[in-house]
Amino acid sequence: MASRDFHLQMQGYGLTTANIFYGLPDHPRIIQSYIWQEYDLHPHFPELRKFLDFWTRSLDGPLHGVTVAHAQLITPAEMRLVDGEFHVH
């Protein structure tokens, strides 16, 4: 059985990494960094938006900025059918 990650990649999801910069509630001039990584859909990033909505609703550290990197891990050119099975031992 294929993994959840593989199924998501076959549906067009790619690995998304967000570097989230936020201010500390007690020290607003200090900016911290949090790395978030999940499979998400480019260009609208619904999973990242859901996480950032949760952040602004539930956490005290105000968001300062977000940098996003996205990689489509499986592309159609990398998938090919095999015409046979190979057995070793």
Side-chain angles (χ1 to χ4, degrees), residues 42-71:
H42 178 271
H44 300 292
F45 302 111
E47 298 298 321
L48 176 58
R49 288 179 183 270
K50 189 173 11 176
F51 178 75
L52 293 175
D53 288 343
F54 162 78
W55 185 297
T56 55
R57 274 192 331 271
S58 304
L59 301 179
D60 291 334
L63 293 175
H64 179 70
V66 179
T67 304
V68 179
H70 178 80

Side-chain angles (χ1 to χ4, degrees), residues 3-18:
S3 70
R4 171 192 169 268
D5 296 343
F6 181 74
H7 283 290
L8 287 174
Q9 291 173 40
M10 294 306 293
Q11 294 172 13
Y13 283 74
L15 189 61
T16 302
T17 304

Side-chain angles (χ1 to χ4, degrees), residues 9-10 71-80:
Q9 291 173 40
M10 294 306 293
Q72 194 73 24
L73 299 178
I74 295 179
T75 61
E78 293 178 21
M79 295 295 296
R80 62 185 170 144

